Amino acid sequence: MEKIEGAAVSRCTDSPYLRPLTLRYRQNGIQKSWDFMKTHDSVAVLMFDSSRRCLVLVKQFRPAVYASEVERRFPGSLAAVDQDTPQGLLPALPGSVGVTYELCAGLVDQLGVSLEEVACKEAWEECGYRLVPSDLRRVAMYKSGVGLTSSNQTMFYAEVTDAQRSGPGGGLVEEGELIEVMHLPLDDAQAFVDDPDVPKTLGVIFGIFWFLSHVAPGLGAQ
């Protein structure tokens, strides 16, 4: 997962996942404009494996995180990316700087498929757990990236057991996914959230806080 070679960046001229746009508008009589991205909505699934008393998370390499870390550590690295020809990212950093811990999640990019069905599909593909929509509890719907995309993400919760895990997960190879399933012991959850050196998304922080306040108190000691 962390063996990254030949990293190069170019302008994104066409993508099925995002489209850069500019909104021009008048607010209180003042003409303004704002650049934003049209992106897909998404779902996220927080799973608690009661057989192991673990939260089920995923770990994966995020190219955007990697490129941003290169720019953060070596300012100006992305400044020259103003043409279609890929520009190599130098100096190269280890792939570990682009790895993050997240909830199982996926894009809502198919018509006629419910959010619950998308969530079940992602739980199987990424983590190997077989779920049906009735297994899911809707936690929240919130805006993500309000300054840039303002897409909606809907978070679900499901309690699962090892008996429901009939596959390895890991994502779809044909879609370039390389995902590692992580079982976080419940006793370590708070420390995981509090550790600033563990790269993680806001979604996983919110999900764990929600679990610790809404679900964990009813589980009892073991």
Side-chain angles (χ1 to χ4, degrees):
M1 176 184 294
E2 298 179 5
K3 185 180 180 181
I4 304 300
E5 301 171 312
V9 180
S10 64
R11 287 188 304 183
C12 180
T13 57
D14 184 39
S15 171
Y17 305 108
L18 55 88
R19 185 155 59 102
L21 299 166
T22 298
L23 176 67
R24 293 177 173 82
Y25 60 100
R26 189 180 300 276
Q27 184 179 35
N28 292 346
I30 300 174
Q31 188 65 36
K32 299 181 179 182
S33 66
W34 192 272
D35 300 332
F36 69 99
M37 291 282 187
K38 172 67 178 71
T39 60
H40 294 289
D41 291 339
S42 62
V43 299
V45 190
L46 173 65
M47 288 179 281
F48 173 64
D49 189 325
S50 58
S51 301
R52 308 182 186 208
R53 288 182 66 85
C54 289
L55 294 169
V56 184
L57 309 180
V58 297
K59 174 184 175 183
Q60 60 182 315
F61 174 79
R62 290 296 194 179
V65 174
Y66 181 84
S68 294
E69 278 299 317
V70 173
E71 175 67 23
R72 185 172 293 112
R73 301 184 189 196
F74 303 99
S77 296
L78 301 181
V81 184
D82 58 358
Q83 53 188 354
D84 297 336
T85 303
Q87 304 293 305
L89 284 180
L90 297 173
L93 293 177
S96 57
V97 305
V99 173
T100 61
Y101 294 88
E102 312 169 18
L103 295 181
C104 168
L107 297 177
V108 180
D109 57 1
Q110 297 181 11
L111 295 176
V113 181
S114 71
L115 297 177
E116 288 80 5
E117 289 171 326
V118 175
C120 292
K121 173 176 173 289
E122 296 299 333
W124 167 247
E125 292 176 355
E126 294 193 358
C127 301
Y129 288 89
R130 288 287 190 189
L131 301 179
V132 295
S134 60
D135 292 328
L136 300 172
R137 172 181 173 182
R138 188 174 296 211
V139 174
M141 189 278 286
Y142 42 85
K143 300 287 185 182
S144 59
V146 293
L148 185 61
T149 67
S150 194
S151 57
N152 291 334
Q153 182 167 83
T154 304
M155 182 183 294
F156 295 97
Y157 167 73
E159 182 174 324
V160 298
T161 66
D162 281 349
Q164 290 170 272
R165 194 179 190 205
S166 54
L172 298 179
V173 176
E174 59 268 29
E175 294 185 3
E177 294 181 326
L178 181 59
I179 296 171
E180 181 180 331
V181 183
M182 174 190 174
H183 289 89
L184 176 66
L186 190 54
D187 291 342
D188 297 337
Q190 186 64 60
F192 173 85
V193 167
D194 293 340
D195 190 343
D197 295 325
V198 177
K200 48 191 171 292
T201 63
L202 181 59
V204 78
I205 293 173
F206 168 69
I208 291 176
F209 273 136
W210 177 88
F211 178 88
L212 293 177
S213 63
H214 288 78
V215 180
L219 293 176
Q222 182 173 326

